[in-house]
Amino acid sequence: MFNFHTYMIDDVPCLLNVEAESVQPSYPAHVSLSVGIHPWKVSDGWQKDFESVRSVAQRSDVWAIGECGLDKVRGEALSLQIEAFRAHVALSEEVQKPLVIHCVKAFDELLALRKEWEQKTASHRREAMGIGENEKGLQPWIIHGFRGKPEQAQQIMAKGLLLSFGHHYHVETLRSVFTAFQKRCSEGLSCANPFFLETDDLHLSVHQIYEQAARHLDVDVVLLSRFCDPRQTIFSL
Ligand SMILES: [Zn+2]
């Protein structure tokens, strides 16, 4: 079992979201970190905060960059958020660690950014041909706390992004994403993880989320835990 996004340490392996300035010298072995600037905290002068993110990004217990992202409901102007987001994408590529994304009502902009970076990476790869650099595509982008409808999930996943669900997911979305995963697996296509599960900032155990999802999907919770474990997939690089 793995908690994909949390602010609290308990006994379950997790990706603990921390602000770069408050990163401790060390953490228990089952705790890995994501560091970034939350879109609500992006303001003029974000570059200074970003220096702290950059300074811890190489640590071996930092497994992901984020959460970072775009929020049209809260925070500063979207243009400023986009500027900070681009810096996170560049860092994620530089240190080769996945990106954990907070996205509220800005999916068109997010997908446009993904496309832009894919093109950039592809042209980079062409230039580096023969040198063996940039063989891989972009780092995984994972949208945490996804609450959208099935159509939106499909649209996002079709662009290669991944989803993490917290307590308040849309049940039909969870089911449709899982069904698509089963279909991919049965067709012998890539079927690494259907999605991830997280507590986010709620004070409950991720066990409860796994049990709830297993019930909604009518699958065994142990099996679901295996499916949703990022440690052998996106974090095994
Ligand atoms: Zn968030």
Side-chain angles (χ1 to χ4, degrees):
M1 194 167 283
F2 191 91
N3 188 351
F4 196 80
H5 187 73
T6 181
Y7 294 83
M8 273 188 336
I9 296 176
D10 59 15
D11 56 351
V12 181
C14 70
L15 192 61
L16 181 73
N17 199 83
V18 280
E19 288 189 4
E21 306 80 45
S22 32
V23 171
Q24 303 296 309
S26 71
Y27 287 87
H30 68 289
V31 175
S32 49
L33 311 175
S34 56
V35 285
I37 311 174
H38 195 286
W40 298 348
K41 300 210 168 146
V42 170
S43 55
D44 282 327
W46 61 268
Q47 291 87 348
K48 196 173 163 293
D49 297 336
F50 193 70
E51 279 314 305
S52 318
V53 176
R54 173 171 283 286
S55 71
V56 294
Q58 294 276 10
R59 274 174 55 142
S60 61
D61 55 355
V62 172
W63 286 9
I65 303 302
E67 70 178 291
C68 56
L70 309 174
D71 193 324
K72 278 192 186 169
V73 177
R74 255 176 93 168
E76 297 279 331
L78 195 66
S79 55
L80 195 68
Q81 294 185 26
I82 288 177
E83 202 181 294
F85 181 73
R86 282 184 204 277
H88 286 82
V89 179
L91 183 60
S92 142
E93 291 304 312
E94 187 186 322
V95 300
Q96 293 282 291
K97 295 179 182 181
L99 201 62
V100 178
I101 300 171
H102 168 109
C103 186
V104 176
K105 297 199 190 300
F107 286 101
D108 289 345
E109 289 83 354
L110 184 72
L111 294 180
L113 283 157
R114 175 82 189 182
K115 195 168 174 200
E116 175 196 312
W117 279 86
E118 263 163 2
Q119 285 164 347
K120 210 181 276 190
T121 313
S123 68
H124 228 262
R125 204 181 300 145
R126 277 195 298 276
E127 278 167 30
M129 243 171 22
I131 307 167
E133 263 183 333
N134 280 307
E135 296 276 336
K136 291 179 292 183
L138 270 186
Q139 282 296 307
W141 287 16
I142 306 95
I143 296 166
H144 99 88
F146 187 74
R147 297 184 186 196
K149 299 231 170 97
E151 305 72 50
Q152 193 178 35
Q154 266 162 28
Q155 191 200 353
I156 291 165
M157 294 188 78
K159 304 285 183 203
L161 278 75
L162 302 170
L163 304 176
S164 176
F165 296 103
H167 189 52
H168 299 290
Y169 55 77
H170 194 292
V171 178
E172 282 314 314
T173 305
L174 188 84
R175 288 195 179 123
S176 78
V177 171
F178 192 68
T179 305
F181 162 79
Q182 287 175 309
K183 187 163 178 280
R184 285 199 305 277
C185 293
S186 70
E187 288 169 353
L189 301 170
S190 92
C191 64
N193 303 110
F195 47 74
F196 305 110
L197 292 170
E198 60 176 60
T199 54
D200 200 355
D201 55 359
L202 296 181
H203 289 254
L204 45 81
S205 163
V206 80
H207 283 275
Q208 289 171 253
I209 316 257
Y210 274 87
E211 273 151 26
Q212 175 186 305
R215 215 166 38 242
H216 283 144
L217 298 171
D218 198 19
V219 291
D220 181 69
V221 71
V222 176
L223 192 62
L224 186 66
S225 305
R226 209 179 307 147
F227 286 151
C228 301
D229 195 329
R231 287 171 292 181
Q232 304 301 321
T233 55
I234 63 167
F235 293 140
S236 69
L237 307 167

